[in-house]
Amino acid sequence: MDNRDKIIEDQMRNSNEMIPESLRPDNIEKKLASMTIEERYKRSQSEDIPSEVTAKPKKGKGKVVIPLVLAASLLTVFGIGVALGVSGNRKVNDDNTPGIFGKKDNDKDKDKDKDKGGLSSIFGGDDENYDEVYSYFKAYKDHMDNIVYEDVVDYEMVESADEAPAGDSAKSDSSSSRQKLAGTTTAGTYEEEVEFTDTNVRTEGVAEADIVKTDGKYIYEYDSMTEHLVFYSVKDGEIKKEGTVNVLEDDYHFIEMYIYGDKLVLVGTESEASSYYWYDNNASTYVAVYDISDKGDPELEDTFVQAGGYYTSRMVDGKLYTFSKKTFNVNDIEKKDYETYIPEVDGELVDNDDVYIQKDTYNTTFVVLTSIDIDKLKYVDKMAVLGGSNVVYVSANNIYLTDMNYNWVDYTYKDETLIARISYDDGKMEFESKGHFPGYLNDDYSIDEYDGNIRLVTTYRDADYQRYNALYVLDEELSKVSVIKKLAEGESIKSARFMGETAYFVTFKNRDPLFAVDLSDPENPRVTDYLKIPGFSAYLHPYGENRLLGIGYDANEENGWTKGLKLTMFDTSDPYDIKELDTMLLNNYSDASVLQDRNAFMFNGNDGTFGISAVSDWGWLIDDDYSWAEEYYGEDFVDSLEKDMDGSYYMVFDYEEGKGFETKMNEKLDENIYSVGMNDVRGIVIGDYLYVVSTGVGIKSYDTTDYELVNECD
């Protein structure tokens, strides 16, 4: 940059200096808007623009490039050299290549923002975040209007359907012992205390909503088909329906619920056009709080609404944190009409200081976050983040939002993920930091917070576009502490579990390598061992001390085609020598509820039994001329399939050292596989009885001594 450019930059950064007329953002924008895409690109390569701002686009290299239309729009808030530096200051790796972990704002900016109670300048301007959003959306529209679609090529930056990104523990969720495994809760019921299994969650102490809940005395079921809440009293296997509540009001489509003392909280979506899709521009998220002191006559206490379709939620110490996705149509935005591009909460716009913009993403969807005090029935805080709608991870103290990064010149998603950290405490939320990391997360089990560090495992592409996996350790500022790269070439992460100072994760192509990584020294993580076995575990669950349960699929080792379900118990007592203790193949079952929804997994910490619902639908293969199938699945697998097995089943298993897995229960749920889907079933153990709830159908109870049917109620 020559002296003339330096003077101009200094002037534009200094609010007391006049900006030359030719360089005013509105004039630059008008000039650039008339350019063709080719002209803009050539302009971006000229020496007039600082080299830190742009780089010649190279597919697969992950360079940060931003179209000049967007840059001109952003100048109105940040000034030259700031607006165009989308990812902030860049670190340099040991090999002198640009780092991709953005630095956090300096302490001076941080102190300035504390006066407003948050770090609003991390993404947006100090006092003009609304204008920043408008400028972003306008640039987005201009970008879309000028895309030449026949020239756009997306080189698989997002994997195929079975490999695409999916859509929590203070230290970790591994604190358990074989004497009494984690997974049970004690509640005072009647004259004595009765232990019961609670909803399986990502982070211990952070509650998650589900379609079935219990407090040890009652089972609460939400039937989404008929929009009814159903209340059952349960004791020693006996079941009695206490009442139902019709919650079909307006266009509400409630999805799941919480039980908090004598309150029941329903969360879901309302939409003029569709009740089921968050991406409907008119969708809203509703929260309804009921007083259930009288189970026969629940009373609606209050409702809350926020823009966007329901995404997910968490509850901690009586504070409900609700996440929704609000999408805006860029063709409808008007600068002075904030409602056309700023989300609302209970009919009021999210405050300017609580709006944040992740500029490197490429979407028009906000994640709207609210916190509600369920005892006081009032909002505590609210926030909106443009971007962050990929994976949500909630630890005991922080919320992490991630989204894919976008190359605005190549019109492709970069092989890079943006991450933001938001702290929360007693309902108050503060935006803390942002960063980047290569590749993408499989789900929220692939990221974990522990002793002030964030550990994550990703699948990414290298410069030659070869697929690999990596483990990163970040600090609280989301800057890189350490990394292990180039793990399992050509494979993708299928599951992960962080257990204290050890990380376990599974990759897969044709076989299942289970990796163990020692994280006791965050600056020097080490792969201690990996174990290759057929198939892969898609869900990992701690099973007492030094044991890890894997639930997933068997697979053909030659071509990777998945077959039936598989249970595996791993011995993790020596991270340098992981062992497979036992495997049970469930060839007749093609899928299990826990592999779609962790909340559907039942785990009884008292005796180590666990329950899943599964579907058997291989009948078509048996009845057909399956000679072709032997090549893909294997002759032994096809011959093992039983006829007349189509349907949904609830199964309970146990594991005993030296004996392996044992099937304790295998109960068919319904004659019609589509009548009761496996995802509509929950198993709950209360005392010595298992209650299997098929939403919309009823409850059956079984004695856990012999798993014989005791009672049923519809």
Side-chain angles (χ1 to χ4, degrees):
M1 183 184 297
D2 59 25
N3 291 334
R4 177 178 57 82
D5 292 334
K6 184 68 171 61
I7 292 172
I8 291 174
E9 180 180 359
D10 290 341
Q11 288 177 336
M12 297 185 76
R13 289 188 179 189
N14 189 338
S15 60
N16 295 323
E17 296 288 343
M18 295 297 294
I19 299 175
E21 188 66 19
S22 62
L23 293 179
R24 292 188 62 83
D26 50 349
N27 289 331
I28 292 177
E29 184 175 354
K30 291 178 182 178
K31 180 178 180 180
L32 297 182
S34 64
M35 290 183 178
T36 65
I37 291 178
E38 182 179 0
E39 289 172 335
R40 290 178 204 161
Y41 174 70
K42 290 180 178 179
R43 170 74 176 175
S44 71
Q45 303 308 299
S46 71
E47 295 182 358
D48 293 335
I49 297 176
S51 59
E52 299 88 2
V53 172
T54 60
K56 187 174 181 179
K58 296 180 181 179
K59 297 185 189 300
K61 292 293 186 181
K63 298 289 186 180
V64 175
V65 185
I66 190 165
L68 292 182
V69 172
L70 176 60
S73 301
L74 297 179
L75 281 170
T76 59
V77 179
F78 287 89
I80 192 168
V82 178
L84 295 176
V86 174
S87 295
N89 296 323
R90 295 287 179 137
K91 290 187 176 180
V92 178
N93 297 327
D94 295 337
D95 58 0
N96 291 322
T97 58
I100 62 171
F101 290 87
K103 283 186 178 180
K104 190 175 178 180
D105 293 15
N106 58 42
D107 293 338
K108 180 179 179 180
D109 292 334
K110 181 175 179 179
D111 292 339
K112 174 178 61 179
D113 290 315
K114 281 184 177 179
D115 294 338
K116 295 188 297 182
L119 299 177
S120 63
S121 68
I122 285 182
F123 282 161
D126 292 341
D127 299 305
E128 300 178 354
N129 294 354
Y130 284 4
D131 292 340
E132 182 76 357
V133 174
Y134 175 78
S135 296
Y136 173 88
F137 279 160
K138 187 176 185 301
Y140 180 101
K141 181 180 183 301
D142 292 341
H143 182 68
M144 289 293 296
D145 290 344
N146 287 285
I147 286 179
V148 181
Y149 287 97
E150 58 267 27
D151 294 335
V152 176
V153 179
D154 187 346
Y155 290 94
E156 299 182 277
M157 297 309 286
V158 177
E159 306 289 14
S160 59
D162 62 336
E163 298 173 342
D168 310 66
S169 115
K171 287 195 172 181
S172 90
D173 47 8
S174 61
S175 55
S176 58
S177 64
R178 187 62 183 95
Q179 287 71 33
K180 181 175 180 180
L181 305 179
T184 58
T185 302
T186 301
T189 60
Y190 306 99
E191 296 82 19
E192 59 184 14
E193 288 189 345
V194 177
E195 293 185 325
F196 60 90
T197 58
D198 207 348
T199 302
N200 184 42
V201 299
R202 170 64 181 86
T203 304
E204 187 176 351
V206 179
E208 299 181 21
D210 199 10
I211 56 176
V212 175
K213 289 287 187 178
T214 187
D215 56 12
K217 299 179 182 180
Y218 297 89
I219 291 177
Y220 308 87
E221 170 207 340
Y222 175 65
D223 178 7
S224 61
M225 296 300 294
T226 63
E227 298 282 350
H228 276 76
L229 281 170
V230 188
F231 302 81
Y232 300 92
S233 60
V234 292
K235 184 179 181 182
D236 297 334
E238 297 300 316
I239 312 167
K240 178 183 178 182
K241 181 183 289 186
E242 298 290 346
T244 62
V245 178
N246 184 356
V247 294
L248 182 60
E249 301 177 16
D250 299 326
D251 293 314
Y252 293 13
H253 175 69
F254 291 111
I255 298 174
E256 48 194 9
M257 62 182 168
Y258 294 88
I259 300 298
Y260 175 68
D262 285 329
K263 297 182 187 293
L264 184 148
V265 182
L266 274 175
V267 287
T269 292
E270 181 272 346
S271 170
E272 296 177 6
S274 170
S275 299
Y276 298 89
Y277 302 106
W278 62 262
Y279 49 79
D280 182 342
N281 291 353
N282 296 316
S284 298
T285 290
Y286 274 78
V287 175
V289 182
Y290 286 85
D291 181 340
I292 56 173
S293 301
D294 183 350
K295 301 300 185 292
D297 187 23
E299 180 181 351
L300 178 64
E301 290 191 325
D302 209 343
T303 59
F304 303 84
V305 62
Q306 65 190 64
Y310 178 59
Y311 183 19
T312 190
S313 62
R314 301 289 188 272
M315 184 180 286
V316 181
D317 297 330
K319 307 301 185 298
L320 174 68
Y321 299 86
T322 305
F323 304 75
S324 62
K325 294 183 181 181
K326 172 60 178 177
T327 301
F328 287 98
N329 186 337
V330 294
N331 295 312
D332 295 337
I333 65 172
E334 297 181 17
K335 188 169 185 178
K336 298 302 181 181
D337 187 359
Y338 297 134
E339 293 181 359
T340 62
Y341 57 92
I342 300 296
E344 295 183 349
V345 174
D346 255 12
E348 297 182 358
L349 296 174
V350 175
D351 291 342
N352 178 78
D353 291 345
D354 295 321
V355 175
Y356 303 86
I357 307 167
Q358 186 71 296
K359 297 184 295 297
D360 286 357
T361 188
Y362 184 64
N363 62 48
T364 58
T365 299
F366 278 94
V367 174
V368 184
L369 303 84
T370 64
S371 56
I372 301 172
D373 188 319
I374 301 301
D375 287 316
K376 298 179 180 179
L377 295 176
K378 69 175 185 178
Y379 280 106
V380 179
D381 210 349
K382 55 187 177 181
M383 179 184 294
V385 178
L386 184 60
S389 57
N390 194 324
V391 171
V392 174
Y393 161 56
V394 182
S395 72
N397 302 294
N398 292 286
I399 296 165
Y400 296 86
L401 303 178
T402 69
D403 217 331
M404 295 298 291
N405 205 341
Y406 186 73
N407 188 323
W408 287 78
V409 169
D410 284 354
Y411 312 126
T412 60
Y413 283 99
K414 299 167 64 176
D415 195 27
E416 179 179 298
T417 296
L418 309 172
I419 181 171
R421 178 171 71 91
I422 299 166
S423 65
Y424 71 91
D425 181 25
D426 201 30
K428 297 297 294 182
M429 298 180 289
E430 295 289 346
F431 200 102
E432 300 290 353
S433 54
K434 66 186 179 78
H436 308 252
F437 59 83
Y440 62 81
L441 301 174
N442 180 54
D443 57 21
D444 63 345
Y445 283 107
S446 294
I447 176 173
D448 184 73
E449 178 185 299
Y450 184 85
D451 277 354
N453 289 317
I454 296 86
R455 301 90 59 87
L456 50 90
V457 287
T458 75
T459 299
Y460 72 97
R461 300 277 189 172
D462 69 357
D464 296 324
Y465 215 70
Q466 178 59 50
R467 184 191 306 152
Y468 289 99
N469 303 278
L471 181 143
Y472 282 88
V473 179
L474 314 181
D475 60 21
E476 290 185 332
E477 306 303 311
L478 300 179
S479 295
K480 182 176 68 174
V481 174
S482 60
V483 61
I484 303 175
K485 301 177 71 175
K486 290 199 169 183
L487 299 172
E489 180 180 356
E491 302 182 358
S492 299
I493 290 175
K494 294 298 184 181
S495 61
R497 199 79 182 205
F498 290 86
M499 299 168 62
E501 295 181 340
T502 306
Y504 299 95
F505 59 94
V506 170
T507 63
F508 177 74
K509 185 175 182 181
N510 292 342
R511 290 176 66 87
D512 168 0
L514 172 67
F515 286 86
V517 181
D518 181 359
L519 294 167
S520 57
D521 180 359
E523 296 183 357
N524 297 285
R526 294 182 300 168
V527 175
T528 57
D529 194 16
Y530 68 93
L531 176 67
K532 277 183 172 286
I533 57 177
F536 64 92
S537 297
Y539 178 75
L540 298 173
H541 196 91
Y543 195 86
E545 187 176 1
N546 300 324
R547 297 293 181 265
L548 183 64
L549 170 66
I551 303 175
Y553 305 94
D554 190 19
N556 187 317
E557 295 184 45
E558 296 181 359
N559 55 32
W561 276 52
T562 57
K563 301 186 287 188
L565 297 178
K566 183 183 71 167
L567 307 178
T568 306
M569 187 63 71
F570 299 101
D571 180 352
T572 59
S573 56
D574 183 357
Y576 289 87
D577 185 21
I578 305 172
K579 297 178 182 178
E580 179 187 20
L581 294 178
D582 190 46
T583 292
M584 174 181 280
L585 297 180
L586 304 169
N587 287 344
N588 285 296
Y589 305 92
S590 60
D591 207 355
S593 54
V594 64
L595 306 182
Q596 313 299 324
D597 182 356
R598 62 168 167 258
N599 299 150
F601 183 63
M602 184 281 289
F603 186 74
N604 187 354
N606 286 331
D607 59 12
T609 56
F610 58 94
I612 61 173
S613 53
V615 61
S616 175
D617 58 358
W618 290 110
W620 61 273
L621 188 59
I622 298 174
D623 296 335
D624 197 4
D625 176 11
Y626 57 79
S627 57
W628 63 271
E630 295 179 357
E631 176 183 353
Y632 293 98
Y633 295 107
E635 183 177 353
D636 291 343
F637 172 75
V638 175
D639 290 342
S640 72
L641 299 178
E642 299 179 26
K643 295 183 178 180
D644 304 321
M645 281 290 292
D646 282 6
S648 295
Y649 293 77
Y650 195 83
M651 295 182 285
V652 176
F653 302 92
D654 193 12
Y655 175 81
E656 186 175 346
E657 295 288 334
K659 294 184 178 180
F661 290 105
E662 178 187 1
T663 303
K664 308 290 288 187
M665 172 181 169
N666 187 359
E667 184 79 8
K668 190 169 186 178
L669 295 170
D670 195 272
E671 290 299 324
N672 185 349
I673 183 175
Y674 302 106
S675 176
V676 180
M678 64 175 183
N679 293 331
D680 300 321
V681 179
R682 297 292 185 269
I684 299 173
V685 175
I686 303 176
D688 296 324
Y689 297 87
L690 168 70
Y691 299 85
V692 177
V693 185
S694 301
T695 59
V697 177
I699 301 182
K700 294 182 179 181
S701 63
Y702 302 83
D703 190 323
T704 56
T705 302
D706 52 17
Y707 288 92
E708 293 293 328
L709 180 67
V710 174
N711 195 215
E712 56 185 307
C713 182
D714 56 21

